[in-house]
Amino acid sequence: MTHTNKKNKDIKPTEEISKFSWGGRTQEWEEESEQLMHDLQDQIDNQETNEELNKKIEYGKQKQYW
């Protein structure tokens, strides 16, 4: 079995991630959870290499047969 190198994860400190408050209305929870989701997705996107990004772009350009 070959050894594959794993890339180091760049984890954002919890102080920089938006906080989720308890209490309030459902609409406020939805907005806060959406902001948290975007923060986490941005963190994942920033760790993506150009090679991985190019693979995703090439895959998206392929004609899909359904």
Side-chain angles (χ1 to χ4, degrees):
M1 185 187 296
T2 62
H3 176 72
T4 58
N5 292 330
K6 293 183 179 181
K7 61 181 178 178
N8 294 333
K9 294 182 180 180
D10 183 28
I11 306 228
K12 193 180 228 184
T14 55
E15 296 85 28
E16 295 180 20
I17 296 176
S18 58
K19 301 296 180 196
F20 192 79
S21 64
W22 297 99
R25 296 173 292 150
T26 304
Q27 183 178 3
E28 293 169 348
W29 288 350
E30 289 175 355
E31 291 171 358
E32 289 177 0
S33 62
E34 186 175 334
Q35 181 62 42
L36 181 61
M37 181 198 63
H38 286 296
D39 289 346
L40 294 174
Q41 188 62 46
D42 289 343
Q43 185 177 355
I44 291 169
D45 291 343
N46 289 338
Q47 293 177 11
E48 194 171 53
T49 63
N50 285 337
E51 182 180 327
E52 291 171 332
L53 183 59
N54 288 334
K55 283 182 182 180
K56 286 183 179 181
I57 291 171
E58 287 302 317
Y59 178 75
K61 288 181 179 179
Q62 292 176 359
K63 189 169 186 175
Q64 302 293 323
Y65 298 99
W66 299 99

